[in-house]
Amino acid sequence: MSFGDPNNPYGQQPPQAPQGPYGQQPPVPPQQGQPGYGYPQQPPQQQQYGYPQQQAVPPQQQYGYPQQAAMPYGQQMPGMPMGYASWGSRLGAFLLDGLMIAAVPIILYIVSIVMAAGSAVTPDYSSCSTGDYTCMQNAANDAASSSTPVGAIILSILAWLLMIGGTFFLIAKEGASGQTPGKKVMGVKVIKEATGQPLGFGMTFVRYLCRYLNGLLCGLGWLWPLWDDKSQTWADKLAGTVVVSVK
């Protein structure tokens, strides 16, 4: 009596190959390097000569402010110092600023003087005895006060206020940017020697006060830049400033 296959004593069914969907045959595994039926075909890889090529990377967008193009070699950016300013350029800037703030006040002063001279009254010395200089002085003062018109006084005060206001305007401009209108025309700039930055209003006001020292000894302080290594006046040395040329 036979009890079945001795290699399969329990009567199990041999494993069957899985069926493909919809009755399709399963792919046959490849043999001897050949792709089998149903396996995807891969294109043959070609050997590349030389160095391996790298794929081009698209440029990435930069964040923040756009970068400025570099200046050509040997050229400086606008506004950069180009050495100490000459004495002539400093004098030109000083004259231009003085003309700008003093032109209108000078005209007003001239008009007020003309008005006062046109209404002048001769002092009356008839009531004064001979040799009574006190009486004569009082008579002259009375004539001067009565002859000066109110318009002339107002013009004189207005001229003085304009001069003061123009001076503070120059101080504010120089403190903020290092340049007054005259200095900008002449291409010079006042900076702090230690930092290279403008002084600010306070230190610029101090520097303007120190400028009165330049007038000592017959204006020797104004002429000092002619032989000074840093082209500094006495006020510049006290305030720690230098005047440079800019583009």
Side-chain angles (χ1 to χ4, degrees), residues 142-222:
D142 293 339
S145 60
S146 61
S147 64
T148 303
V150 178
I153 298 175
I154 293 176
L155 289 179
S156 299
I157 296 175
L158 181 59
W160 181 80
L161 292 177
L162 288 176
M163 184 73 72
I164 297 298
T167 302
F168 277 96
F169 168 77
L170 295 180
I171 294 175
K173 292 290 290 183
E174 184 174 314
S177 63
Q179 289 183 305
T180 58
K183 289 181 174 64
K184 193 170 185 179
V185 171
M186 299 303 298
V188 298
K189 184 177 182 179
V190 180
I191 58 176
K192 189 74 173 177
E193 184 179 9
T195 62
Q197 300 298 323
L199 304 181
F201 183 86
M203 283 302 300
T204 304
F205 180 76
V206 173
R207 180 176 179 269
Y208 268 64
L209 293 179
C210 294
R211 290 170 66 174
Y212 289 99
L213 299 177
N214 294 332
L216 299 178
L217 300 177
C218 301
L220 184 60
W222 293 112

Side-chain angles (χ1 to χ4, degrees), residues 2 11 18 27 30 39 48 51 67 121 123 146 152 169 186 188 190:
S2 174
Y39 284 88
Q48 298 182 358
Y51 292 96
Q67 297 182 357
V121 177
S146 61
F169 168 77
M186 299 303 298
V188 298
V190 180

Side-chain angles (χ1 to χ4, degrees), residues 43-69:
Q45 298 181 357
Q46 298 181 0
Q47 184 178 1
Q48 298 182 358
Y49 298 94
Y51 292 96
Q53 299 180 359
Q54 298 181 357
Q55 296 181 355
V57 180
Q60 299 181 358
Q61 183 179 3
Q62 299 286 341
Y63 295 95
Y65 293 98
Q67 297 182 357
Q68 298 180 354

